[in-house]
Amino acid sequence: MPELPLQSNSSLAFEMVLTELADTVGECNVSTRPSDKLVYSTDWSWMPQMWLDKAMPPPSPDCIVRPGSPQEVAQVLQIANVYRMPVVPWGGGSGTQGGAAPIFGGILMDLKRLDKIVDINEYSLTVSAQAGVIGAVLEMALNERGLTLPHYPSSANAATVGGYVAARGSGVVSTKYGKAEDLVLSIQAVLPDGTIMRTPPVPSHASGPMLMNLFIGSEGTMGVITEATFQIERLPEARVFRAVLFDDLHNALDAGREIMLARLQPAVLRLYDEASTRSLVKRVLNLELDGAYLIMVFDGFPEIAEAQLARAMSICERLGARDLGPESAEHWWEHRYDFYYPPFSLSLPQMYGTIETVCRYDNIERLYRAKKAAIEGGFADWGARYIAHFSHWFPWGVMVYDRFIIDEPPFDPQEALQLHNRIWTAAARTSLANGGMLNEHHGIGFKLGRLMREQYGPAWPALDAIKHTLDPKGVMNPGKMGFSL
Amino acid sequence: MQIPDYTEIYNGDRYCLMCRHVCPVERVTKNEATSPHGWALLVASVQRGLVDWNAETVDTLYKCADCGLCRANCVTDRPLPAAIVAARASVVQGGAMPESVVQVDKLLLEHGTPYPVSTPQQGATYPVSTTKMGSIGLYVGAATAYKSPAGVEASHRLMQLAGYEPTALDIDRSGVYLPYTLGLWDTARMLAEETVRAIKDAGVSEVITLSNEDTHAFLHIYPQLGVALPEGLTVRQFSEWLWEMVEAGKLRLRPLELEGAVYHDACHTPRSPEGGIAARKLVKALTGHAPGEMFWRGRQAAPCGAVGGFEFTQPALAEALSRARVQEARQLGATAIITDDPQCASQLSLFAEGLPVINLVNLLAEQAEAADVWGLDT
């Protein structure tokens, strides 16, 4: 078992660390400035944000380091190993589970200096980019050539290429094009001991296990992703839109299932439950509707997209949907990220969490209703609300993007954190009990780490052992993913 | 002066990451603390007593370029730049501003400009006079007069060629943007009131600005300072006015060979929906083709460093922004950078290192002289 990491930032050893880091990445790329430490003390997760809101400083990094090459990343990791200092990789800081929060201090490694788009291959339709390239910037560069990386998460303006892969993210067209993990072909990564490695140049082969998969969704616990190659697409010739309204969620879910089982390949199937339709859709899209609101988008060649939509519409109509036409779906597409801008986004002092999960179609309605009951019934004293939409569909099942919201949480930060944890635990256990996972695309971070052993059962020690074999001194993002220290 | 309360903006924006990718400062520093949400979090944290205003935190606050990109790219139009500048004003009121700001204020109060005064071109070339064909004021401002005397002369000449004799305004006096963005709001207000008096005295009904920062000041900062412009006064950027003259046939442009130039959208362009459009038309009219385009353009145009008072408070950042812009042009294989803002041309020239930086206005005026085809199309 490795020792606990060095944590003092006032020791002689820490001064040695700073000197060595400055020698590696340049003095201007090492910071201990208080305002820098303040901003890096929180990612996009509710817990540290709430602490800051209550004027309680959350744990902050001892220093922030900005390496400019994989070689510099490797040297920083070697220094961290010598001094047993935690290293927290930071891409865009847009994770919601605390994956980039420096809960044990240490070195916060901001990777945004790795900002080169290495290659755009228009013949094979691939793009290679360094880990610190912002998703939206990569997309702008691709769009200038009529290309796209069809990964459009709401965090694209902030998240980095490395974060896409390390957090196993999903975007609004994932139903057709897949999640980040489906789009990535190969990566360059730096192992915790400083070894720089590349995975095979193609993801599909029979030349051994998928080494790349160890890093996908690893949230910086297995090493540092420094470059990724993705498959890309030509921008679609057409997008066709349609919105429909179901009286209830049951038939709406069934319509989504049938569309997927018919392999109609919608780019977007976004189904809002009745509560979300009443609140979110009204607030952001200005639509007053009662029922379950479903948006469909098909893209590609116009004649094929139109035919797919026609088939999907016949399924919806058979299940009792009311056709709302294309306008509101187009409006949603144009404003699909508005939900995440203030004042539309959830914000403090509210308490909230995205407790989303994924399961097979035969479990989804039961799971949804069980979680709704667990939140609204279990935390009725706090007036907990539960809203959900179903936005990432697979050939075998669907994810439910569900959230809890408490408008007037406890004022005391400790009490608030305890309540937050209790709700998360109840939600996660309800997911597990109904065939779901802890999470589908927001990740684990330190928020859900405690439940990983419960989820994986007898398989967990194997995963934990792999982690400690790669990272025997435990420097990589300690306290995350539930790995033992 | 009452400093507006932007608490809701600081609180709402401290955890919003939606515009960080367009922030030019963050792109060169790679530092979350010097990004829109970083500045909002800093001010919100000061309000909560987590940190205080000291040399380090104030320095971070003054690293915002006040370029307007975050707001221009915000779908809910959050006035974060104004909120950050208001925080600076609060710092100034509390006496915690950087020494560089103290010095700028002193120069502004004593001389009306932070630049050396009584440059040779002043007074003699641009006397305050009445116009021949309408009441037009050419707003120069001390910064443009100091940094681009040739540009001012070229502008004046072009206006004369179009048949106008403008009244030159504020050659010796700083524009309002500089003191405003540094948080020197009392000084900014005083200068704004003096400029309004000068406009009234000259009796002009239209002001043509040479630099985008002055257009921004007239349209957005004067109202914020509570200084009313004379009733009915219109304010336009020089390129827009010039294009109108070309379209009206009052100016003729002789074709010019200019291959490989890329267009730099002037600082503050994202603040104006029409920004850069007229200038591109002028380039096309002159050269027969549209200029090359930078990656960061239009609503996402990166400033060149002539923003936020950086030349006084953050010269290293100003240089980094300029170099980033020049590098962007070089990566496109540009043979030159062309822009219609004299301050941008001046700033970029400092770091272009062999890459020509062309002030579009100078080019237009030079062509007229060389070709000798300028004149009224009566």
Side-chain angles (χ1 to χ4, degrees), chain A residues 39 43 57 63 194 206 232 254 269 277 319 373 376 396 417 426 429 437 469 477:
Chain A
V39 76
D43 58 6
C63 60
I232 54 178
D254 211 31
L269 266 189
T277 301
L319 288 164
E376 292 180 345
W396 44 266
L417 191 61
R429 287 196 169 130
M437 293 290 287
T469 301
N477 211 3

Side-chain angles (χ1 to χ4, degrees), chain A residues 90-173:
Chain A
W90 178 288
S94 55
T96 58
Q97 315 292 70
I103 57 175
F104 288 116
I107 299 167
L108 191 138
M109 183 187 281
D110 189 330
L111 293 157
K112 287 200 291 293
R113 277 183 71 215
L114 298 175
D115 62 355
K116 307 285 183 301
I117 297 173
V118 178
D119 178 52
I120 298 176
N121 186 325
E122 298 190 46
Y123 193 77
S124 297
L125 287 186
T126 64
V127 63
S128 299
Q130 287 190 306
V133 174
I134 302 286
V137 176
L138 178 61
E139 187 62 17
M140 286 160 60
L142 290 170
N143 288 172
E144 298 225 325
R145 299 183 189 208
L147 302 171
T148 180
L149 171 63
H151 181 60
Y152 309 149
S154 58
S155 60
N157 286 3
T160 57
V161 161
Y164 277 3
V165 179
R168 212 167 185 156
S170 198
V172 295
V173 294

Side-chain angles (χ1 to χ4, degrees), chain A residues 35 44 53 92 112 157-158 342, chain B residues 15 18 20 26 32 56 76:
Chain A
S35 52
W44 217 54
D53 191 58
K112 287 200 291 293
N157 286 3
Chain B
Y15 302 132
M18 300 304 273
R20 192 190 54 193
E26 202 278 344
E32 301 280 343
E56 189 270 325
T76 50

Side-chain angles (χ1 to χ4, degrees), chain A residues 33-36 38-40 42-44 48-50 52-57 66 90-94 110 112-113 115 134 136-137 140-141 144 154-155 157-159 337-338 340-344 348, chain B residues 8 11-22 26-27 29-35 37-38 41-42 45 48-51 54-57 59-60 63 73-76 78 294-297 300:
Chain A
R33 285 167 64 110
S35 52
D36 293 357
L38 170 77
V39 76
Y40 285 102
T42 181
D43 58 6
W44 217 54
Q49 290 185 354
M50 181 271 291
L52 284 166
D53 191 58
K54 305 285 188 191
M56 282 179 57
R66 300 183 186 90
W90 178 288
S94 55
D110 189 330
K112 287 200 291 293
R113 277 183 71 215
D115 62 355
I134 302 286
V137 176
M140 286 160 60
E144 298 225 325
S154 58
S155 60
N157 286 3
Y337 299 138
D338 292 10
Y340 303 94
Y341 285 80
F344 295 138
L348 295 163
Chain B
E8 190 277 323
N11 283 342
D13 294 1
R14 68 192 150 150
Y15 302 132
C16 178
L17 306 175
M18 300 304 273
C19 61
R20 192 190 54 193
H21 66 300
V22 297
E26 202 278 344
R27 278 211 308 280
T29 63
K30 308 296 185 189
N31 184 352
E32 301 280 343
T34 52
S35 74
H37 83 98
L41 178 62
L42 176 64
S45 298
R48 283 164 174 74
L50 267 170
V51 288
N54 55 48
E56 189 270 325
T57 52
D59 178 59
T60 299
K63 282 183 171 159
N73 287 271
C74 177
V75 301
T76 50
R78 309 274 293 178
M294 300 268 218
F295 183 76
W296 297 103
R297 61 181 182 269
Q300 296 173 327

Side-chain angles (χ1 to χ4, degrees), chain A residues 118-313:
Chain A
V118 178
D119 178 52
I120 298 176
N121 186 325
E122 298 190 46
Y123 193 77
S124 297
L125 287 186
T126 64
V127 63
S128 299
Q130 287 190 306
V133 174
I134 302 286
V137 176
L138 178 61
E139 187 62 17
M140 286 160 60
L142 290 170
N143 288 172
E144 298 225 325
R145 299 183 189 208
L147 302 171
T148 180
L149 171 63
H151 181 60
Y152 309 149
S154 58
S155 60
N157 286 3
T160 57
V161 161
Y164 277 3
V165 179
R168 212 167 185 156
S170 198
V172 295
V173 294
S174 71
T175 300
K176 178 174 181 179
Y177 296 101
K179 299 172 61 180
E181 70 204 60
D182 303 310
L183 296 165
V184 65
L185 304 177
S186 62
I187 59 167
Q188 180 193 61
V190 183
L191 299 179
D193 69 355
T195 303
I196 302 172
M197 56 151 273
R198 279 186 185 275
T199 62
V202 295
S204 184
H205 57 76
S207 305
M210 272 296 280
L211 182 57
M212 182 171 69
N213 279 359
L214 261 185
F215 299 90
I216 297 175
S218 67
E219 301 182 20
T221 60
M222 300 287 188
V224 179
I225 296 168
T226 47
E227 188 183 311
T229 299
F230 298 92
Q231 70 184 50
I232 54 178
E233 303 284 336
R234 297 191 177 103
L235 282 166
E237 283 185 17
R239 285 195 181 99
V240 294
F241 300 87
R242 192 65 67 95
V244 294
L245 187 70
F246 291 87
D247 287 341
D248 60 51
L249 189 65
H250 174 79
N251 279 1
L253 278 170
D254 211 31
R257 181 186 68 84
E258 289 211 22
I259 288 167
M260 292 304 294
L261 297 190
R263 308 295 188 243
L264 291 177
Q265 294 190 305
V268 176
L269 266 189
R270 197 174 186 90
L271 170 63
Y272 291 89
D273 75 350
E274 294 93 334
S276 285
T277 301
R278 273 194 305 272
S279 59
L280 215 55
V281 172
K282 180 182 176 187
R283 186 171 178 215
V284 182
L285 300 181
N286 203 23
L287 291 171
E288 274 204 64
L289 299 168
D290 203 10
Y293 175 69
L294 174 67
I295 290 165
M296 294 183 284
V297 182
F298 293 85
D299 67 5
F301 297 116
E303 64 275 22
I304 295 176
E306 291 285 3
Q308 288 169 320
L309 175 61
R311 282 281 187 171
M313 280 303 292

Side-chain angles (χ1 to χ4, degrees), chain B residues 147-217:
Chain B
K147 294 176 184 178
S148 183
V152 180
E153 198 152 346
S155 312
H156 192 224
R157 174 169 160 68
L158 285 168
M159 293 184 86
Q160 286 179 318
L161 286 168
Y164 293 83
E165 183 59 51
T167 301
L169 295 163
D170 278 9
I171 294 169
D172 285 341
R173 186 164 44 233
S174 170
V176 165
Y177 174 73
L178 175 67
Y180 164 79
T181 192
L182 294 180
L184 302 167
W185 285 12
D186 289 337
T187 306
R189 192 161 200 266
M190 179 197 77
L191 289 171
E193 286 168 347
E194 287 177 9
T195 296
V196 166
R197 269 197 294 276
I199 291 170
K200 284 179 178 168
D201 289 348
V204 300
S205 58
E206 179 170 22
V207 168
I208 309 296
T209 57
L210 293 179
S211 179
N212 248 5
E213 76 169 35
D214 297 315
T215 320
H216 166 54

